[in-house]
Amino acid sequence: MTTMGAGMDGQVGRRRGALLAATTLAAALALTGCGAGDSGSKDAAGSAAEAPAANGGEAGRDAAAGAPEGAGAGAPDLRVDQRAIIYTGTMRVQVDDVDSAARETTAVATRAGGFVGGDERRSADDDDAVAELELRVPAAKFTDVVEEIAKLGRQQSREINTQDVTEETVDLDARITSQRARVESARRLLARASSITDLVSLENELGRREADLASLEAKKRRLADLTALSTITVSLAGPAAKDTEEGAETGFLVGLRGGWKAFVVSMTVLLTVLGALLPWLVAFGVPLAVLLVVLRRRRRTRALVAPVSAPPPVPSARSAP
């Protein structure tokens, strides 16, 4: 019994030792894994922190340099001050002296670095005079010029319109670059032409490509002119000038006025035609009327002078046998 008890105690001790060793190994592995995970997380966090810093530094250097050819690779600059915008404005100002206000308006445009593109005057008298000026001024001075002209008198109306042509401008630039490459390619092929047929064909193709390139460049110049110089149409009206933008009226009295005006216009036209025909009527109508009267009198005279014919004889009645 003593021997068996000792053997059992030995087995239990060995099992406890093995269990303790396994537990210790598992704890060591867990600690090792946690340490590796922490170091990996720290490395990843460090890398992630370093990447934005590097990108931020590069972005800052690109922004400082203007970044015309940055990571966007040909993408348009979307900043407001770099966009291509066409400004157009229309305004009407009532002034006391139209001629003096027109001269001042011209001076305002000239001081801003622009010029007068059109000048039209309509004046029955000083109070009813109207002057329409078309001004071309730099886009940067557009608002200042409009505000300065509005102070010349009493502003009656103002309309400002803008058109963003940035994408169209970028598209034109890309098409012009591509078309220039096509023109150069056609010129190289034309220089290596070895036959008359190839020479004629390549010359025609080169002419078409050069015409397309010239058209694109003309469109680009037109857009550049519209974006560089804004257009302002100014109407300067005298104190008694009527507003041309009066609303349409309806009603019985309006119709009556319209009908009376139409009647007056029709009678004026009729009298004008009659006045034009009156000399012809006098020149040819009076002699014709006199001739008709003379002929009618002659016919009456002949009818009275003509002899009265005797009645036909009455046949005698026959006697009965």
Side-chain angles (χ1 to χ4, degrees), residues 72-149:
D77 192 346
L78 300 181
R79 292 179 298 177
V80 176
D81 58 344
Q82 297 295 329
R83 301 191 71 86
I85 300 177
I86 300 174
Y87 294 92
T88 56
T90 303
M91 58 189 307
R92 181 182 175 91
V93 182
Q94 188 177 42
V95 296
D96 296 333
D97 189 346
V98 173
D99 292 335
S100 176
R103 288 192 296 270
E104 183 61 26
T105 300
T106 303
V108 170
T110 304
R111 287 196 300 268
F115 59 92
V116 178
D119 188 345
E120 182 180 355
R121 308 288 178 95
R122 298 192 302 272
S123 60
D125 51 41
D126 294 339
D127 292 338
D128 199 24
V130 177
E132 292 187 359
L133 305 178
E134 182 178 331
L135 309 180
R136 301 297 307 279
V137 298
K141 301 293 185 64
F142 178 82
T143 304
D144 296 338
V145 171
V146 170
E147 294 297 336
E148 194 168 353
I149 293 174

Side-chain angles (χ1 to χ4, degrees), residues 8 16 22 30 46 53-54 82 184-185 198 206 211 235 246 251 263 297:
M8 292 179 63
R16 287 180 179 177
Q82 297 295 329
E184 293 299 328
S185 176
D198 294 341
L206 178 60
S235 296
E246 295 179 352
F263 174 75
R297 287 182 179 181

Side-chain angles (χ1 to χ4, degrees), residues 6 12 38 96 101 131 141 146 173-174 188 200 243 253 270 296 317:
V12 171
D38 292 340
D96 296 333
K141 301 293 185 64
V146 170
D173 289 338
R188 288 194 297 269
V200 173
D243 190 357
L253 295 179
L270 180 61
R296 184 175 296 179

Side-chain angles (χ1 to χ4, degrees), residues 1-308:
M1 294 292 295
T2 303
T3 306
M4 293 179 59
M8 292 179 63
D9 291 339
Q11 292 179 358
V12 171
R14 287 193 297 272
R15 290 178 181 176
R16 287 180 179 177
L19 181 60
L20 181 60
T23 303
T24 303
L25 180 61
L29 292 175
L31 291 174
T32 305
C34 290
D38 292 340
S39 62
S41 300
K42 291 179 180 179
D43 294 339
S47 301
E50 291 173 3
N55 293 335
E58 293 175 359
R61 289 192 296 270
D62 289 342
E69 299 178 357
D77 192 346
L78 300 181
R79 292 179 298 177
V80 176
D81 58 344
Q82 297 295 329
R83 301 191 71 86
I85 300 177
I86 300 174
Y87 294 92
T88 56
T90 303
M91 58 189 307
R92 181 182 175 91
V93 182
Q94 188 177 42
V95 296
D96 296 333
D97 189 346
V98 173
D99 292 335
S100 176
R103 288 192 296 270
E104 183 61 26
T105 300
T106 303
V108 170
T110 304
R111 287 196 300 268
F115 59 92
V116 178
D119 188 345
E120 182 180 355
R121 308 288 178 95
R122 298 192 302 272
S123 60
D125 51 41
D126 294 339
D127 292 338
D128 199 24
V130 177
E132 292 187 359
L133 305 178
E134 182 178 331
L135 309 180
R136 301 297 307 279
V137 298
K141 301 293 185 64
F142 178 82
T143 304
D144 296 338
V145 171
V146 170
E147 294 297 336
E148 194 168 353
I149 293 174
K151 297 177 182 178
L152 297 178
R154 186 173 67 86
Q155 181 177 262
Q156 294 181 334
S157 64
R158 178 193 295 190
E159 182 178 357
I160 305 298
N161 297 316
T162 60
Q163 182 182 0
D164 192 344
V165 293
T166 305
E167 295 182 359
E168 187 175 354
T169 302
V170 173
D171 179 66
L172 275 176
D173 289 338
R175 293 173 62 186
I176 288 174
T177 302
S178 176
Q179 193 64 25
R180 285 175 179 170
R182 296 184 63 194
V183 169
E184 293 299 328
S185 176
R187 288 175 178 172
R188 288 194 297 269
L189 292 175
L190 181 62
R192 296 196 300 265
S194 58
S195 64
I196 299 299
T197 303
D198 294 341
L199 183 63
V200 173
S201 177
L202 289 172
E203 284 180 347
N204 293 333
E205 181 63 22
L206 178 60
R208 285 193 295 267
R209 293 185 181 185
E210 288 178 341
D212 293 341
L213 177 59
S215 176
L216 292 175
E217 290 177 342
K219 291 181 180 179
K220 178 64 182 300
R221 288 192 299 270
R222 176 61 177 168
L223 280 180
D225 176 70
L226 292 175
T227 54
L229 293 175
S230 302
T231 303
I232 307 174
T233 302
V234 182
S235 296
L236 302 173
K242 296 181 180 180
D243 190 357
T244 58
E245 298 181 356
E246 295 179 352
E249 298 179 357
T250 58
F252 175 76
L253 295 179
V254 176
L256 182 61
R257 286 198 300 268
W260 176 253
K261 290 180 180 179
F263 174 75
V264 171
V265 171
S266 300
M267 291 301 299
T268 302
V269 173
L270 180 61
L271 293 175
T272 302
V273 174
L274 182 60
L277 295 179
L278 185 59
W280 299 90
L281 294 176
V282 172
F284 295 98
V286 173
L288 183 61
V290 172
L291 180 61
L292 292 176
V293 171
V294 171
L295 293 176
R296 184 175 296 179
R297 287 182 179 181
R298 286 184 178 182
R299 288 179 181 177
R300 288 180 181 179
T301 303
R302 289 178 181 178
L304 293 175
V305 173
V308 181

